Amino acid sequence: MSHYLWRDGWHPAEPAAGEVACADSWRHVDGRAHGFSAHARRFERCAGPLPPGFWASTARALDTPGEFFPRVALAGGQLRLDIRPAPPARATTVLALSAAPDPRTAPLIKGPDLARLSAFRARHTPPGADDVILGDFAETTTGALVGWEGSTLVVPRGVRLPSVTQAQVVGRARERGISVREGRLHPGMPLWFLNSLHGVSPVTSIVGDGTNRAVPAQPGAAEWAAWWWAGFRSAG
């Protein structure tokens, strides 16, 4: 892992010690990202105007072979870049339920809750599960959720972080004439875990809190997953 501090460009630095005010992260494959501009816009909505050349310098720092999971952040009043190796992509996901209080304090902003969410996930994810559901199936500690009701794509109503990958899926559904509506998600419907690290990852089961339930599959999930990964063939 490499750490950088912005001083008219990225310079090697020690890890950030201050509180993270906002952040964004995505999978970067051989110098390319899927939805890079959308991640940039989301970060700027929180961080405010960025220095000239910020994104071009970030792209140059990441223009190298390999799979990475970079994170830009505003921490302790300073702009930071962490270049982390990307973990293997998860084809399917097992989610956990927990009766513990929701740890989110700023659910609409990525950054302030990162440490709390990481601790919550470590504490409340049982063996065999990948993540924990938050806010009555609004999202998880690391990703977004959508469900399927027949041929209709269902987006959760609950308060949640605006997700780049969820927006990509909703946009494709509308382009293909698929009905999209807001509603309550539940384990009796096909569910997909979505984020910019794993793409479209169908949920296979819900465990924990006295529950161990298989989640039905949605036909066509593999095709949607392949579509998402194909986004790395072109920048943007």
Side-chain angles (χ1 to χ4, degrees):
M1 182 185 300
S2 302
H3 308 282
Y4 299 89
L5 173 66
W6 180 269
R7 292 193 300 266
D8 294 325
W10 291 119
H11 297 272
E14 294 299 313
E19 182 175 344
V20 177
C22 52
D24 222 294
S25 54
W26 60 91
R27 185 179 284 267
H28 219 85
V29 180
D30 295 331
R32 295 180 181 271
H34 186 187
F36 183 79
S37 58
H39 285 282
R41 288 192 298 271
R42 186 171 68 174
F43 183 65
E44 288 175 33
R45 284 196 294 270
C46 173
L50 298 172
F54 180 87
W55 291 115
S57 294
T58 302
R60 285 195 296 272
L62 295 166
D63 189 15
T64 184
E67 296 202 23
F68 301 96
F69 185 37
R71 184 179 78 180
V72 289
L74 179 62
Q78 298 177 311
L79 290 167
R80 297 279 185 163
L81 170 65
D82 299 319
I83 301 180
R84 308 167 291 186
R90 196 167 64 231
T92 60
T93 293
V94 175
L95 294 179
L97 290 169
S98 173
D102 190 333
R104 298 175 298 172
T105 62
L108 298 179
I109 303 172
K110 184 168 184 173
D113 289 324
L114 285 175
R116 278 181 285 272
L117 291 171
S118 179
F120 185 87
R121 184 170 64 255
R123 189 176 303 118
H124 299 291
T125 304
D130 301 298
D131 205 344
V132 188
I133 296 165
L134 299 173
D136 194 22
F137 286 83
E139 61 182 346
T140 75
T141 69
T142 63
L145 296 171
V146 295
W148 289 89
E149 205 166 64
S151 59
T152 297
L153 180 68
V154 183
V155 179
R157 286 198 187 102
V159 177
R160 64 194 187 278
L161 179 75
S163 164
V164 170
T165 312
Q166 187 183 74
Q168 290 170 330
V169 167
V170 168
R172 186 186 193 227
R174 287 178 171 148
E175 288 174 359
R176 300 180 70 181
I178 294 171
S179 175
V180 180
R181 72 169 183 85
E182 285 194 345
R184 182 182 179 276
L185 306 187
H186 57 83
M189 59 171 32
L191 298 171
W192 289 353
F193 171 94
L194 310 171
N195 74 6
S196 60
L197 184 59
H198 299 287
V200 176
S201 180
V203 179
T204 56
S205 60
I206 306 290
V207 300
D209 199 25
T211 299
N212 190 337
R213 179 170 180 174
V215 174
Q218 196 276 334
E223 188 270 333
W224 279 77
W227 157 78
W228 189 82
W229 286 104
F232 287 95
R233 295 174 191 161
S234 60

